[in-house]
Structures are given as structure tokens and as C-alpha cells.
Amino acid sequence: MGRGLLLTSNLPQLQNLIKRDPAGYKEEFLQQWNHYTSVRHIFSLNPDEQAPHLRELVSFIAQVAPCYPKDATEFPSQLSTMLLDAGVQLQPDTRRVLVQNLVMLRNKDVITSLELLRTLFPLLSRAPAAGGLRSFIRKTILTDIRTANQRAKNHKLNRAVQAMLFSMVERGMDGELSGDKGKARAAAGPTSDGLAHAGDEAMWAVILSKELWKKRIWNDAKTVSIVALGCFHPVIKVQSASIHFFLGDDDEQEEEEDDDIPDAKALQHRREVNKKSRGGDKKLQKQIAAAKKKRAAKNNGPAIPNFPALQLLHDPQTFGEKLYDVLSRYEKRFLLDHKILLMQLLSRVMGAHQLCVLSFYTYIVKYLAHKQLRVPSILAALAQSVHSLTPPDALMPVVHKLAHEFVHPGVAAEVIAAGLNSIREVCRRQPWAMEEDLLADLVDYRKSRDKAVVAAARGLLQLYREVNPGMLKRRERGKTASMGMASGSQPLPFGHSADAAVDIEGLNLLEEHLQSLRQESAENVAEDESAGWEGWDDAESDDSDLDSEDGWVDVSDGDDDIEVDMSDSSDDEDGKDGGGAQRAGAESATLNKPDAIPISTLATTKILTPADFAMLTDLRIQAATKAVEAGGGSGAKRKLANLEAARQSSGAGENLEDKFISEHDILGPRKKAKADYAERIASIEKGREGREKYGSMKGKRRKETPSSTTNKEKARNKPIMMILSSGAVRGKKKASLRSKQQKLRAHIERAKKSK
């Protein structure tokens, strides 16, 4: 009896004994289980009364629950109920213990991943930011899903989790969008608690989807659909986070992501409060340096658009129309930065999928002014929304507005260069949006004195020399374009394509490469099998039954002069003529293709894998490199640059890098951009290197004993205007004749003594 009381009062010792002999200590476990049940009922009435004892019992039962699966069947569901029903009222320590023990039950395979995630997902929005519980829940969710998909894709779990995330985003979609502008938000009134809670849930659904996509655990269209739905959420932070996913930058970081980077001021304050030691100082410096490095890497990292996510959008036309509807309907409720985000996403979707949202060009015209804030971003969004299927009639007013606002003598040279570059990027995608008279005026800016303007004007001139030299004046066409026009080549009208969609560009290179590999392998196999055919004629001579009925059959019937006609004898003469005409037409069509390249049939006989497309990209780059070395000109160089950019980007198949441009493409080359705050601070810190302190080193390097200069030495370097207004000079001007004589006599006496 004393032994039993000792065991029941010491739970860690009882836990150790139960794991060694579960059957022998079942009564003690049941006693603690009954105790836990009574404490749980008391805790449900008053959470603060039995909290410490409940935490101890929960930790004990969670450790030994796998030993008694039938008796502890309801234990995981009871923990989930306490977390979900009384999660806000629980103490932070109690909430943490319950979550940790629930995760431990999942690690011991007492519950499934789906049961755990159904409890943890609602806790993300309810758990407080302080204390680290939210970060722990987030890492647990990501780790559990990654472990489930480590060996192979767990489609059953992924579908269930994606359905939960989709419902979390969809739950608050019926709310009214308030926007992020101060007056509009105040007029709309405070956000209701229900919409705020739905916004937190949707925000966490978007964050988790982005993390799983970034870690390449989920890379399907369902993940993209979850984030795409968040682009239309009424809560502005959810909408912004979803848009940043497609744009590929993380300028708006969630506060949970910033928790991993320590604050330098907090570290220094903690160092001042804690006990001083040399090791602590070194550790502090390392932590501060690591924090600065992380923040610099996060803020200065390149923004690469998310090409695969843009390609996996479901119904891009409807998605683009909804984006424009949000942009135009709630324009007065959005700040300029958020409107630019919507413009950038809409333009990239239009460029990637060749959509026609013609109202967007009417909307963006009012922002095309050189005094508009962040106008380079707006111009970049305008240019990348244009493609070959955009009607020229919708773009002509835009081009005229750009020329009227940016390209005239009344603005700075940087503005003119930006306007010319914008017009060039628009016309590169749709050359028919330009008029001859306007083009002649714009090309004349190549005579400017500013290098950026000259480069922009020459770029526009070179573009139309390649795509439509007939719009240029005769003296501006150049030799190559003039020879092309003389040979009768004409630009294709709007809506026409140069080549029919019958082949993949460069597929013949892949077919030749695979054929050469097959030939090499066949030669190797033939060499290996040649040894097996040695002496086959000896074996034939030993066989005496070759001439029997089961052996070879002579089909010549004694006639040695049989001629076999290999042509198709079933066709008549007309059929033969028709077949010849078809062959001749095919040959002429093949010869009329550029560089006489035949159409490859590899795509009709083989399913191309991602490895095949990667090999195709390498072969195209090799062919483009040879063309550049052979003097292919600017077109070959541009093609090689686009292929290399496509290989570096994450997008597969079509090269989307050429469709998206940045602000640097709009601004063009500049003499020297004005340094921002970070660059100025970096320059100041670089100048301070090697100094003992931030003071002057004058007089300290030249002397053995460090000292400053005297006032007499300083007076020698004073400006003359300061000296003229000094008291000494004024006193000399007002001195009497007697005082001047005395000073002169004293000077003569000093000169004699010095000699």
C-alpha cells in the first residue's frame, strides 16, 4: 500500500515503471486517469483553480497513452476540445503544455496528421503573438506536412489540408472592403470582430500556402488557387500578401517572419542589464552582425516574378477581369502603393497569358504624368501588359499621352529618356501602335546632348529598323532594312504570325541529339554482340534438317530473274501524280521555312519530359552561341540573352522573362543616380575605417606626442575675408602715427637681435 502511494505521488517515477511494464501498473494508471477526469471537470468550471495540477497530469498521460490505447482513446479529443473551446481563457503555460502534448501524441502515432492539423489551424489566429506559441504551431504544421510528403506525395493529406486552407480564405469573402487609405477607412467604420477574425485566418492560410510553395512541398494548381482567392479578400493585408506571392517579392513581410531576426537594440539592452563578461561582449557582436546580415539579405534580395504560379492560374481571363474590377471600383479606398501592386499583377497576368482587358489602358492614362509619384513602376506595368494580340487602337491614345507628357523640351533629360524607353517597350510588343509622324519626331531626339536620351532614341530607331522599316524615313532605315524592303519583305499585319503552330522551336536539335545518342549506343551494343555471332556458319553446317519442311522455304520457284516492284502498284497514274504533287508541296514548304529547317515529328512520337525540355534549352543556347560567333548581329545576341535568362529563371517552356520588365528598363542608363540613405551611410562607414576615432588626424601623425595645432598656426590658414573683418586688422587701420612708429621701432630692434 505504501508502495502504491509512493508511485502515485511521484508521476515521473510511475511513468518510467509503466513504460517498462504496462500490464503490471495498469491499476495505477487508471487511478491517475480517474484523477485527471475529475480535475478536468473542475478545470472546465474554473480554469485558474487546477491549472498546475492539470498540466502535470496531461504531461503524464500523454507519455504513457501509447501503452493503454483503449483506455486513453478519448484523451486526444479532450485536449483538442480544451484548446478550441477555452483557448482564449487558458493561461499561456497551460495552452503551451496542451499543444506540446498533442504534438507528442502525433509523433507517437497516437493520432493522425489530419487530426492534429484540424486542431492547430484554428489556433493560429487565436494564439497570441507573444510567447512564441504561434511560431511553434506554425513550424509544427510545416514540419508535419513536409514529413508526410518526404518520400512520396501524400495526396490524401494534401487534398484535405488544401480544402481547409481554402475554406479559411473563403470564410470572410462576403465582407465589405475598407481599403488602406485613412479617410476611406474612417468613413467605412471600424472593422467588425468577425471580419477581423476571418482576416487573421485567411492571412495564415496564405502564409502557410506561400511557405509550402517556397519549400517546394506543394507545387500544384490548388495551392495557386488558394493564394489567387486571397487577392480578392476584403482585408487589405491578406490581399497584399497574396499579390506579393505572384510578384515574387517579399517587401511586405509578416511579423511572424521577422521574429527569427533579433533586434539589435534589444540585444544591447539585455547586455546592459545582465552580468558583464568578455564572452558576452563577443557573443553580442556576433548576434548583431548576424542580424544585420539577415536583414540586408532580406531587403536587398532580387525580386524574381513567380513564373510557375502565373502559369498555373485557373481561368486567367476571369482572374484579370476581377483584378481590374477591384482596382477601378475601390480606387479611392486604396493608397498609391497598393494600386501599383494591383497594376503590376494585372499587367503580368495579361502579358503571360496574352489577355485583353482593354479598360485597363483607359484607366492607366490618368497616371501617365512625369510628376506622378512612382511613375517608373506605373510605366513598367503599362509596358508589360502589352502583347502581340493587344489591339493597336487601344494603345495609340496611350502612346500619344506618353509622348505629350514625357517627350518635349520642357522637361528634364531623365524624363525624356523614360518616356522614350516606355514607348519603345510598348511598341516592341505591338509595333502597330505607332504613327509615322510621331515616330519621326521621336527618332529626332537621337541628336540630343544627353547620353540617356540618345540611347533611348536610338533604341526606338533600331526597333523599327527590324520590325517595320517602312515607317521610317529613307535616310533612317539603314542598309540592312533597305535591302530587305528592296527584296519585297513586308511586316506582318496585326493578328498574323510568322510561323504556323506546327512545331516547337529548336525541337529538331533535340531530335538530332537523341538520334546521335541512339547510334552511339547501337554501335556499342553491336560490338558487344559481335562475339556471340562468331562461328554461326559452323553451327549451320552441323544442322541436317535445314532443308526439311520445318526449315527454310525456297520461294523463288526456280525463277532467278524475278523483279520486285517496290512502288505502290495499287495507285493509278492520277494517284501517282497526286502523291508526287503532295511530296513536291511538302518539299517546297520545307524549303520555304527559315534556314530550310524541317519540321520535327519528335513531339508526336514521344512524351517530352522536364529533362528533355532542359536539354532542349541547352541545345538552343549552343546554337544561339554559334550564331553570335558567326556574326548574327543584335537579333542573335538578344535571342541568346533571352535563352540564358530563361534557363536561370524558374519558369519552364515559354520564356516569360522577356515579357516582364523592371524600373531600370524604363529609366535607362543614367550618369550617376542620387545616393539613398543606405548608400550614404555605407559610404560614411567606409570612410571611417582605419581611424582611431571620428576626429581629424591632423597633427597626430606627424608628431611623436599627439597634439593639436596652435592658434597662430590656425590663423595662417584663415580666409582673407575673415581676417579683414577681425579686430586686429581694424585696430591697425585706426592706429595713430605715434603707435605705428613705436611698433616699427620695436620690429627693427627685434630684427637686429635676431641677426
Side-chain angles (χ1 to χ4, degrees):
M1 191 65 181
R3 169 177 168 272
L5 292 175
L6 177 63
L7 293 177
T8 55
S9 62
N10 191 359
L11 292 181
Q13 184 180 0
L14 180 60
Q15 170 185 325
N16 187 19
L17 294 173
I18 287 176
K19 289 183 177 180
R20 293 182 179 181
D21 187 10
Y25 292 91
K26 185 174 183 180
E27 294 182 1
E28 285 80 359
F29 170 75
L30 294 177
Q31 183 180 358
Q32 295 299 327
W33 176 263
N34 295 331
H35 190 196
Y36 155 75
T37 304
S38 60
V39 171
R40 185 171 59 85
H41 286 297
I42 297 173
F43 180 80
S44 61
L45 300 176
N46 188 3
D48 297 332
E49 184 175 352
Q50 296 289 336
H53 199 30
L54 179 68
R55 293 197 294 266
E56 186 179 2
L57 289 171
V58 166
S59 300
F60 166 74
I61 296 176
Q63 289 285 346
V64 300
C67 300
Y68 308 100
K70 295 182 180 180
D71 298 320
T73 305
E74 300 179 356
F75 180 68
S77 61
Q78 292 172 358
L79 295 184
S80 301
T81 304
M82 284 190 288
L83 285 171
L84 297 178
D85 294 347
V88 181
Q89 302 176 0
L90 294 177
Q91 297 179 0
D93 295 338
T94 305
R95 188 187 300 110
R96 174 180 289 275
V97 169
L98 294 178
V99 172
Q100 289 177 348
N101 286 282
L102 194 63
V103 174
M104 185 173 60
L105 292 175
R106 169 66 193 101
N107 295 335
K108 294 178 179 294
D109 291 331
V110 178
I111 59 176
T112 61
S113 296
L114 191 58
E115 294 175 351
L116 175 65
L117 296 177
R118 284 175 179 171
T119 305
L120 295 183
F121 275 132
L123 290 178
L124 276 174
S125 57
R126 301 179 186 179
L133 180 61
R134 182 182 292 180
S135 178
F136 173 74
I137 295 174
R138 175 189 178 188
K139 291 179 181 178
T140 301
I141 292 173
L142 295 176
T143 304
D144 191 77
I145 298 176
R146 180 177 58 190
T147 305
N149 293 272
Q150 190 169 7
R151 294 184 178 179
K153 291 290 184 180
N154 192 341
H155 297 288
K156 183 178 180 180
L157 177 64
N158 292 340
R159 286 194 297 266
V161 175
Q162 288 169 350
M164 286 191 289
L165 295 176
F166 194 85
S167 62
M168 290 170 64
V169 179
E170 196 176 21
R171 203 164 292 152
M173 292 297 295
D174 54 349
E176 179 65 22
L177 194 148
S178 59
D180 56 350
K181 190 176 288 188
K183 295 182 180 179
R185 186 170 60 249
T191 307
S192 61
D193 296 338
L195 183 58
H197 179 67
D200 293 338
E201 285 189 344
M203 187 66 184
W204 277 110
V206 172
I207 291 174
L208 293 175
S209 300
K210 291 169 64 176
E211 285 290 332
L212 292 169
W213 176 277
K214 186 186 300 183
K215 296 179 183 298
R216 299 183 180 180
I217 301 172
W218 287 355
N219 52 7
D220 54 352
K222 293 183 180 179
T223 310
V224 178
S225 300
I226 295 171
V227 187
L229 184 62
C231 294
F232 312 108
H233 201 276
V235 178
I236 198 67
K237 64 177 183 179
V238 180
Q239 193 177 120
S240 180
S242 304
I243 293 173
H244 278 291
F245 169 73
F246 290 102
L247 296 181
D249 53 359
D250 294 329
D251 294 338
E252 185 174 304
Q253 295 287 341
E254 295 80 11
E255 59 181 2
E256 289 75 16
E257 295 182 359
D258 293 336
D259 292 341
D260 299 335
I261 303 177
D263 188 6
K265 293 184 178 179
L267 293 174
Q268 292 176 353
H269 176 71
R270 191 182 307 166
R271 178 62 187 152
E272 293 176 359
V273 174
N274 295 339
K275 184 179 179 180
K276 306 296 186 297
S277 63
R278 294 182 180 179
D281 293 336
K282 294 181 180 179
K283 186 177 180 181
L284 174 63
Q285 296 299 329
K286 289 182 179 180
Q287 290 176 346
I288 293 176
K292 289 182 179 179
K293 188 175 181 180
K294 286 183 179 180
R295 292 190 182 276
K298 183 181 71 173
N299 296 330
N300 299 330
I304 302 175
N306 199 341
F307 300 114
L310 292 173
Q311 289 290 345
L312 291 176
L313 277 172
H314 176 68
D315 194 0
Q317 182 68 36
T318 304
F319 180 80
E321 292 176 355
K322 287 184 178 180
L323 275 179
Y324 174 72
D325 186 48
V326 171
L327 178 61
S328 59
R329 179 182 297 181
Y330 303 103
E331 179 188 8
K332 296 182 179 179
R333 300 186 182 184
F334 292 145
L335 291 174
L336 179 63
D337 294 339
H338 192 71
K339 286 189 282 189
I340 290 177
L341 286 179
L342 290 170
M343 291 181 193
Q344 289 176 342
L345 179 56
L346 176 58
S347 62
R348 289 181 179 179
V349 174
M350 292 171 63
H353 296 277
Q354 296 189 346
L355 308 180
C356 288
V357 185
L358 302 182
S359 303
F360 173 69
Y361 302 108
T362 307
Y363 170 83
I364 204 173
V365 164
K366 59 184 177 183
Y367 291 99
L368 301 181
H370 67 277
K371 294 183 179 180
Q372 174 67 46
L373 294 176
R374 297 193 60 186
V375 69
S377 301
I378 299 174
L379 294 176
L382 168 65
Q384 64 192 3
S385 67
V386 182
H387 49 84
S388 60
L389 300 181
T390 305
D393 297 339
L395 294 176
M396 284 184 179
V398 178
V399 175
H400 279 280
K401 184 65 180 294
L402 289 174
H404 178 72
E405 289 288 338
F406 291 87
V407 189
H408 59 85
V411 295
E414 293 83 358
V415 179
I416 299 176
L420 289 173
N421 289 329
S422 304
I423 294 174
R424 185 195 68 226
E425 294 297 333
V426 171
C427 295
R428 175 177 294 175
R429 292 157 175 79
Q430 182 49 269
W432 294 104
M434 177 63 68
E435 296 179 354
E436 294 186 10
D437 297 337
L438 179 59
L439 180 60
D441 296 338
L442 297 178
V443 167
D444 285 340
Y445 276 89
R446 70 184 187 278
K447 303 174 183 177
S448 175
R449 295 182 178 180
D450 189 81
K451 292 184 178 180
V453 177
V454 172
R458 287 180 178 176
L460 184 63
L461 175 63
Q462 184 64 29
L463 171 66
Y464 273 90
R465 282 179 176 176
E466 296 176 1
V467 298
N468 193 356
M471 296 183 66
L472 296 170
K473 295 180 181 179
R474 187 171 182 178
R475 64 176 181 272
E476 297 171 349
R477 294 172 184 171
K479 180 179 179 181
T480 305
S482 300
M483 293 175 62
M485 293 184 63
S487 62
S489 62
Q490 296 293 332
L492 294 173
F494 168 67
H496 292 252
S497 60
D499 299 324
V502 295
D503 196 6
I504 300 176
E505 183 180 359
L507 191 61
N508 59 325
L509 300 174
L510 180 61
E511 185 176 7
E512 294 175 358
H513 178 72
L514 295 177
Q515 187 175 0
S516 62
L517 293 179
R518 288 194 213 98
Q519 291 178 357
E520 293 178 0
S521 61
E523 291 175 359
N524 295 332
V525 171
E527 292 177 358
D528 296 338
E529 293 181 353
S530 60
W533 287 94
E534 294 179 357
W536 67 274
D537 48 351
D538 298 336
E540 182 182 1
S541 60
D542 295 339
D543 192 356
S544 59
D545 297 332
L546 288 176
D547 295 334
S548 62
E549 295 181 356
D550 296 334
W552 294 96
V553 179
D554 189 5
V555 297
S556 62
D557 294 335
D559 191 0
D560 296 335
D561 298 331
I562 298 178
E563 295 181 0
V564 180
D565 188 6
M566 301 301 294
S567 63
D568 191 359
S569 59
S570 61
D571 295 338
D572 53 2
E573 294 181 358
D574 296 337
K576 292 180 181 179
D577 295 340
Q582 291 178 358
R583 287 191 297 271
E587 293 175 358
S588 62
T590 303
L591 293 176
N592 289 331
K593 286 179 61 63
D595 300 333
I597 299 176
I599 298 176
S600 174
T601 58
L602 182 63
T604 60
T605 58
K606 182 182 183 299
I607 297 177
L608 299 179
T609 62
D612 295 334
F613 280 107
M615 179 61 66
L616 176 60
T617 302
D618 295 338
L619 294 174
R620 290 177 62 188
I621 290 177
Q622 294 176 7
T625 304
K626 293 180 180 179
V628 171
E629 294 175 354
S634 60
K637 294 180 181 179
R638 189 181 301 114
K639 183 178 181 180
L640 177 60
N642 294 337
L643 289 173
E644 292 178 349
R647 183 170 60 179
Q648 295 177 359
S649 63
S650 57
E654 186 181 4
N655 180 21
L656 298 178
E657 186 71 25
D658 189 41
K659 296 183 179 180
F660 298 153
I661 62 176
S662 61
E663 297 182 11
H664 178 72
D665 299 327
I666 296 297
L667 296 176
R670 292 187 291 176
K671 295 180 181 178
K672 186 177 180 181
K674 185 178 180 181
D676 55 2
Y677 178 77
E679 293 177 352
R680 292 198 300 269
I681 293 298
S683 177
I684 292 172
E685 292 180 352
K686 184 178 180 181
R688 290 174 177 174
E689 294 179 357
R691 295 187 186 179
E692 296 178 0
K693 204 176 179 181
Y694 301 149
S696 175
M697 298 296 294
K698 186 177 181 181
K700 299 179 182 179
R701 298 176 180 173
R702 304 173 186 173
K703 300 180 181 179
E704 297 180 358
T705 303
S707 63
S708 180
T709 57
T710 62
N711 292 336
K712 191 174 182 180
E713 292 174 348
K714 293 176 181 177
R716 295 175 182 174
N717 297 325
K718 277 190 176 182
I720 187 63
M721 299 306 297
M722 294 181 64
I723 296 175
L724 292 177
S725 60
S726 64
V729 176
R730 290 178 183 178
K732 288 181 180 179
K733 291 181 180 180
K734 296 180 180 180
S736 62
L737 181 60
R738 178 60 181 168
S739 61
K740 292 181 180 179
Q741 289 177 348
Q742 291 177 352
K743 289 182 180 180
L744 179 59
R745 178 58 59 184
H747 175 70
I748 294 172
E749 294 295 335
R750 287 193 301 270
K752 288 181 179 180
K753 292 180 180 180
S754 62
K755 290 182 180 180

